[in-house]
Amino acid sequence: MPLTGGVRPTARRARPRTGLAVGLLVVALLALVGGIAYAALLHVQHAKIRHELDWAMMHGRPADPSGCTWIFGGASDTGHAGAPPAGFPQHEAIHAVARTGRPQVDQVARNGTVYHVRTQLRGDEVVQVVFDARFQLAERRHLLWAVSLAAVAVLAAATATDLRLRRAAVLPLAEALDRQRRFVADASHELRAPITRVHTAAQLLAQRSTCADSDADRQDLDRLLHTTRRLGEIVDELLLSARLADTTSMSRPPATVDLAALVAEAVEADTPRAAEHGVTLTVAGADAPVPVHGVGPALRRVVAELLANALHHTPAGGHVEVRLPPAVAGHVELVVSDSGRGFDPRHGERIFDRFHSGPDSGDRRVGLGLALVREVVTAHGGTISATGRPGTGATFTVRLPVPGAGRADPPPPDGDPAGPRCPFWWRPNRDRADHEREMSPF
């Protein structure tokens, strides 16, 4: 089974980045080791040059017969058998030492090399020793070339290893993940039809029930309706979760979205449901546009899911409030609070896990709704948090970056098939009223 468009490009991008990072790390280590080796070599060479200058100055002849040392002055003026380099001796240094008596040490870059020159008094004579460091310079160049070639070899090896790992491990793993997602999507899709038929049959049985039926029979029918409805919702959200992974066909280009308009739309849609259940629904801060950067249908699902969750867990006489405070510090907040049953604060993060149901949480978190909400918010570069206590209600806070304030995951250039992407689909009438949920679990 071939990979979908979203998995293979992701693997292609992730692995080269990993291989390049490993290669650069090894190159940095090589540079560190090479720098230490270069400093050590430089120290040894300078010590050798000082020794050569000291020996020649003291004994009047070079210690190294390699043809790199010349001595000028007094009886040692003939110095070495070889001809002295052009520009030596340095008469200015000789005259200065003769006048002041202070030794003078110089480095002269000439003739493609560096000469170390020491001029000082030896007895009554001024002696100048010249040392050619061409061999030392060659050693340094050889070391630098060796480190550079090693760095190039490491980068080449890291690239080759990366390609091999991609073929041998990463792509098969991505294919396995893709098959798993396809299985979830296919299984969810195939389960929708039979669950719908069962739910419809249960509705027909409930409609045909008469007053002569016993309370136990009606309770059994109610439980059957509730169970088939929940099965439909779970299958529906599993299918949505699977479609989240397939970003090729579900992704939409990010744009500027008015969050206030989405809030007003969701509140208007759920106001009849809130009134039916005796819940007061209010909204604040949605009277002026609140622009955010993202995918409109995905953000609409975030607002609707949080509002439906609050209404579901707020009893009659309770209160649900949706607030949009002014944008601060480069982000805007969406706050949905209710006076419902609340939850244990120890599970404030875990309620966003799939199918999590902690102690004292009732059925506040059953299914995938909040998990998918967090995935949408995260894909938009934002965060979501929840606070609450048992019996005192809950508050959900969504933070989204405003346009121009930077994003944790900026949108890709046109044509990039992998990303961001909030590849969520939307059912605008979902969770509007209980009778609508009874009529169709999807």
Side-chain angles (χ1 to χ4, degrees):
M1 181 183 298
L3 293 174
T4 58
V7 177
R8 187 182 294 272
T10 302
R12 285 178 177 174
R13 287 196 313 275
R15 292 306 308 166
R17 290 176 183 174
T18 303
L20 181 60
V22 173
L24 291 177
L25 177 60
V26 177
V27 169
L29 292 176
L30 278 175
L32 178 61
V33 174
I36 296 174
Y38 189 86
L41 177 63
L42 202 63
H43 177 75
V44 171
Q45 288 181 346
H46 285 170
K48 181 179 180 181
I49 293 173
R50 286 194 301 270
H51 173 75
E52 179 69 21
L53 293 176
D54 292 341
W55 179 274
M57 186 64 66
M58 182 181 299
H59 298 280
R61 58 184 177 84
D64 187 0
S66 59
C68 294
T69 305
W70 291 267
I71 305 173
F72 304 94
S76 303
D77 193 20
T78 54
H80 200 275
F88 293 100
Q90 288 189 313
H91 298 287
E92 292 181 2
I94 293 175
H95 294 158
V97 172
R99 185 175 61 256
T100 63
R102 291 194 298 269
Q104 185 171 327
V105 179
D106 303 297
Q107 291 187 20
V108 180
R110 185 180 297 170
N111 306 326
T113 183
V114 174
Y115 298 98
H116 292 257
V117 182
R118 177 182 293 181
T119 309
Q120 70 179 60
L121 288 172
R122 188 175 62 183
D124 296 332
E125 299 177 327
V126 177
V127 177
Q128 187 174 85
V129 179
V130 179
F131 181 84
D132 187 354
R134 67 179 66 243
F135 294 114
Q136 284 73 17
L137 294 176
E139 290 178 354
R140 299 175 197 174
R141 287 193 296 268
H142 293 160
L143 177 61
L144 293 177
W145 273 107
V147 173
S148 301
L149 290 176
V152 172
V154 165
L155 286 177
T159 303
T161 304
D162 173 70
L163 294 175
R164 183 177 181 86
L165 287 176
R166 259 198 298 163
R167 294 191 182 98
V170 176
L171 291 182
L173 177 61
E175 184 174 357
L177 292 174
D178 180 69
R179 288 178 177 175
Q180 180 186 20
R181 292 164 181 163
R182 284 179 177 269
F183 170 77
V184 173
D186 293 343
S188 301
H189 186 271
E190 293 300 323
L191 286 172
R192 291 176 59 152
I195 292 177
T196 302
R197 288 194 293 268
V198 172
H199 185 75
T200 303
Q203 286 180 317
L204 292 176
L205 288 175
Q207 293 173 1
R208 293 172 184 171
S209 64
T210 63
C211 296
D213 294 336
S214 65
D215 292 339
D217 291 338
R218 285 193 293 272
Q219 290 177 1
D220 290 340
L221 284 175
D222 290 340
R223 283 194 293 267
L224 179 61
L225 282 172
H226 177 76
T227 302
T228 55
R229 183 176 67 248
R230 290 300 299 132
L231 282 174
E233 292 173 354
I234 291 174
V235 169
D236 197 26
E237 290 179 336
L238 283 173
L239 182 59
L240 177 60
S241 178
R243 290 189 177 186
L244 173 64
D246 188 3
T247 58
T248 303
S249 60
M250 302 304 297
S251 59
R252 302 190 181 200
T256 300
V257 180
D258 185 4
L259 188 59
L262 299 183
V263 169
E265 177 185 340
V267 170
E268 181 182 1
D270 279 320
T271 296
R273 178 187 176 191
E276 181 181 351
H277 288 79
V279 176
T280 303
L281 178 58
T282 60
V283 59
D287 50 350
V290 180
V292 295
H293 194 70
V295 178
L299 294 175
R300 183 181 290 110
R301 177 175 177 85
V302 169
V303 178
E305 188 69 36
L306 292 177
L307 186 55
N309 181 74
L311 291 174
H312 178 71
H313 297 289
T314 303
H319 179 260
V320 174
E321 182 183 23
V322 183
R323 290 183 288 114
L324 283 171
V328 293
H331 70 268
V332 65
E333 288 187 352
L334 167 66
V335 182
V336 180
S337 57
D338 62 71
S339 59
R341 64 174 58 94
F343 59 88
D344 192 328
R346 294 175 300 177
H347 300 276
E349 288 296 328
R350 295 193 61 193
I351 63 173
F352 296 103
D353 296 341
R354 300 188 178 201
F355 301 105
H356 170 70
S357 180
D360 301 326
S361 63
D363 61 348
R364 173 170 285 277
R365 182 65 194 101
V366 179
L368 298 170
L370 293 180
L372 296 180
V373 166
R374 182 170 63 176
E375 291 178 8
V376 172
V377 173
T378 302
H380 280 76
T383 61
I384 182 171
S385 60
T387 59
R389 290 185 177 278
T392 61
T395 299
F396 290 83
T397 303
V398 175
R399 288 188 174 188
L400 295 171
V402 297
R407 287 171 48 86
D409 188 9
D414 294 338
D416 185 356
R421 309 168 314 204
C422 306
F424 285 84
W425 56 292
W426 169 244
R427 301 187 312 278
N429 294 324
R430 185 178 185 269
D431 292 330
R432 280 197 177 182
D434 286 345
H435 70 275
E436 291 178 339
R437 298 169 70 92
E438 294 289 342
M439 292 302 296
S440 174
F442 306 101

